[in-house]
Amino acid sequence: MVGEKVNYSTTVMGWVRTFRNNQFIALNDGSTNNNLQVMAELGKFSDDVLKRLTTGACIKATGQIIPSLGKGQKVELKADTIEILGDSDAEKFPLQPKKHSLEFLREKAHLRFRTNTFGSVFRVRHALAFAVHKFFNDKGFVYLHTPIITASDAEGAGETFRVTTLPVDGTAPKNEDGSINFKEDFFGHSTNLTVSGQLEGELAAMAFSDIYTFGPTFRAENSNTTRHLAEFWMIEPEMAFYDLEDNANLAEEFIRYVIKYAIDNNKEDIEFLAQRLAEEEKALPQDKRSEMGLVEKLEFVINNDFERLTYTEAISILRESNHNKKKKFQYLIEGDGWGIDLQSEHERYLVEKHFKKPVILTNYPAAIKAFYMRQDDGCAEGRQTVAAMDILAPGIGEIVGGSQREERLDKLEQRMKEMNIPADELWWYLDTRRFGACPHAGFGLGFERLVQFVTGMGNIRDVIPFPRYPKSAEF
Ligand code: ATP
Ligand code: MN
């Protein structure tokens, strides 16, 4: 809140964290976890003011910044005047000056910003968001705002939230067959919240060459995991003239850049979070603790190349692993194994046990990936792969999903038919393959998973201000 300069008068405003010895206020304005000590000299302030200096109260203090005699801070404010801007009833304020569990604080999400942990998490989140824009802006990418309400579901299989103005009490207009007549709905079509801005992103890449989106996406997946939210923010760059390798290179450079930006700009917060994580892990048995501290882990990621391998290579590593042979996977790799969708335990094994670094997996079986991914040439019978890439990170699992896109109209149409994707509804998407198609690629990175990785927070619900998940949309 103030620097290290001394002997000047100033006014500060913030929230009282603690008030001790009827003299020392620890004041915080959210700019850092380092509170400013405000000294209320004994005898100088009325009892009425002193008793209102409670945890959570908001105050304004004017006085001299002087060198501090106390431990733990270089300067302090010797107050001449203290004004209470907002009282906080100590009996009722839910945050006591002690450690609260993350679960407890999740239920107090409106106040949890006022704790050190969430102060740090959300300052780091801000830094990462800023770094995202800086990275792409510096490279000349155009920031594209894709629609939130769409009539398409990019994956064809995503669980979407419906958007409608039709009544839900059973009186909505019906077709002859009894189904709801969405022609009568607001948009004249059934619509939903977007699950991805990719398809629209591709349209713009066919004009600006390089674009990115950074916006909210919604998935009504009923998954109560520490990695899934119903509302999350996604970054989706889309680049004309990129192939799969260019795509992977960009994703890797991007992840390194934003992590480095956060370390360079929010070192204090990251060090605080590293300490928090180390404390939390002390309660775990030795073999469950991270091998590296948070700061060490982030520096490792910045300084080391990600491991790159194909899906087929990954399957053979998993199949031949002792872990598999000793039947330690819940989903065992049986027989040849080729074709299965990797479970998160498989991804974690590759990243955390086998390679011990982020991994880029490429060329997945076409059958387990989306219709728009480019079919690899020269595949053996029954082994059609696509130019997909997933990036897996330690402790997080999948952080990026991307691919080179299928630019060949005939191949794309054939794939859509096989996967029952209605081509007539996506006529505009197919038009880019009719008019000036070119090789292109892109990826989607879940912003909250990135924030989790950088802050070391174990639960995705603790890295977004007001999380939405099954049975919870409070605040
Ligand atoms: P997962 O297998 O982890 O569910 P996905 O294959 O559904 O991921 P994509 O559709 O490729 O993910 O989405 C791109 C990125 O968005 C993912 O790599 C991940 O970082 C993020 N993501 C996906 N679903 C969620 C979610 N429900 N909450 C938060 N982030 C998500
Ligand atoms: Mn998913």
Side-chain angles (χ1 to χ4, degrees), residues 35 118 156 234 341 362 365 374:
N35 300 323
F118 289 97
M234 188 144 64
D341 205 352
T362 60
R374 192 177 197 279

Side-chain angles (χ1 to χ4, degrees), residues 219 221 227-229 232 234 398-401 444 446 449 460:
R219 295 189 187 179
E221 43 196 3
R227 314 270 175 259
H228 291 89
L229 289 165
F232 65 100
M234 188 144 64
E398 182 184 328
I399 187 162
V400 164
R449 295 206 188 160
I460 198 165

Side-chain angles (χ1 to χ4, degrees), residues 135-179:
F135 176 82
F136 288 117
N137 184 60
D138 288 353
K139 284 191 177 295
F141 281 54
V142 168
Y143 176 31
L144 186 81
H145 292 110
T146 49
I148 306 284
I149 300 173
T150 64
S152 71
D153 162 2
E155 305 284 333
E159 288 125 322
T160 59
F161 288 101
R162 173 156 278 159
V163 176
T164 181
T165 55
L166 293 177
V168 292
D169 61 2
T171 61
K174 303 242 166 44
N175 297 313
E176 270 165 21
D177 65 0
S179 60

Side-chain angles (χ1 to χ4, degrees), residues 169-203:
D169 61 2
T171 61
K174 303 242 166 44
N175 297 313
E176 270 165 21
D177 65 0
S179 60
I180 293 190
N181 181 3
F182 285 103
K183 289 207 176 69
E184 298 290 320
D185 202 351
F186 188 92
F187 297 105
H189 194 288
S190 74
T191 49
N192 50 264
L193 295 177
T194 184
V195 294
S196 159
Q198 179 202 317
L199 300 189
E200 290 89 352
E202 282 187 52
L203 311 181

Side-chain angles (χ1 to χ4, degrees), residues 1-3 5-6 8 10-29 32-41 53 59 61-82:
M1 343 183 19
V2 295
K5 221 175 84 189
V6 290
Y8 65 98
T10 190
T11 297
V12 296
M13 283 165 278
W15 292 267
V16 175
R17 286 283 173 91
T18 58
F19 182 43
R20 62 184 175 84
N21 296 354
N22 236 8
Q23 230 186 132
F24 302 108
I25 306 164
L27 193 69
N28 191 285
D29 70 353
T32 156
N33 279 344
N34 294 320
N35 300 323
L36 176 68
Q37 176 156 292
V38 176
M39 209 243 298
E41 246 181 313
L53 293 171
I59 67 164
T62 300
Q64 275 289 112
I65 296 283
I66 57 168
S68 177
L69 298 175
K71 274 195 300 209
Q73 69 267 332
K74 289 218 168 80
V75 307
E76 64 186 35
L77 182 98
K78 190 175 162 202
D80 292 325
T81 65
I82 296 176

